[in-house]
Amino acid sequence: MKIADYEELILAAILHNPDNMRVVAPELGADKFGQTSRRLIFETMLDLYVQKTPIDIPNLLHALGPVGAEKAGNEAYALSLKSKFQQLGVESDIGLEAWAQIVDAAGRWRLLQQITGKANDKLSALEHIMSEVDDIE
């Protein structure tokens, strides 16, 4: 399975049983999700959970608002999450903690890659400046 599949399984597990948020919330932040749509959905689910509002598709879409719902893939995407277990051949949410750990690790890896990329860019810029200084001397 791909990381995106694990992310979607987590969202599906929360839609299936909102109490699953208790399992994943300590492990994950929305920033660990790779795609904006899944990030927005998780963040909104977490907000609904904290507000003690039922986490279902109508409440999710309402909380996202029209612009947020569009960014999150609209109702069609939210509905597709409901069938994600069957689609991926997963029978239940029994692996939820492991899925959360996988998504967390992938999110940390993406962040590390971003930081490393920025550091390499800065190093290249510094090397360029130093070579210009050498040319002047």
Side-chain angles (χ1 to χ4, degrees):
M1 271 195 277
K2 299 176 185 172
I3 298 301
D5 293 330
Y6 289 108
E7 292 176 359
E8 289 180 338
L9 282 171
I10 290 169
L11 299 175
I14 295 168
L15 276 174
H16 176 72
N17 179 3
D19 285 337
N20 281 330
M21 186 59 83
R22 283 192 308 210
V23 175
V24 298
E27 188 76 39
L28 288 178
D31 62 323
K32 298 296 177 19
F33 286 76
Q35 189 178 43
T36 302
S37 60
R38 293 187 293 273
R39 216 174 299 131
L40 279 170
I41 290 171
F42 182 78
E43 192 172 74
T44 304
M45 287 176 161
L46 185 57
D47 289 344
L48 291 171
Y49 184 77
V50 168
Q51 297 166 8
K52 298 187 185 330
T53 302
I55 301 173
D56 56 25
I57 291 174
N59 286 333
L60 181 63
L61 293 174
H62 178 74
L64 283 164
V67 173
E70 187 175 323
K71 287 181 182 177
N74 288 316
E75 185 175 5
Y77 181 67
L79 288 169
S80 76
L81 293 171
K82 296 280 273 184
S83 62
K84 195 47 92 169
F85 284 0
Q86 181 182 6
Q87 197 177 44
L88 293 173
V90 176
E91 293 183 25
S92 73
D93 58 10
I94 200 148
L96 184 60
E97 285 183 71
W99 304 339
Q101 290 170 353
I102 290 167
V103 169
D104 179 61
R108 290 173 190 269
W109 179 249
R110 268 191 305 278
L111 179 59
L112 181 62
Q113 288 177 316
Q114 289 171 355
I115 291 169
T116 304
K118 287 178 183 176
N120 284 336
D121 291 345
K122 290 186 187 286
L123 180 60
S124 294
L126 180 60
E127 288 172 343
H128 177 73
I129 291 169
M130 290 175 68
S131 71
E132 287 181 2
V133 169
D134 286 343
D135 291 344
I136 293 171
E137 293 177 345

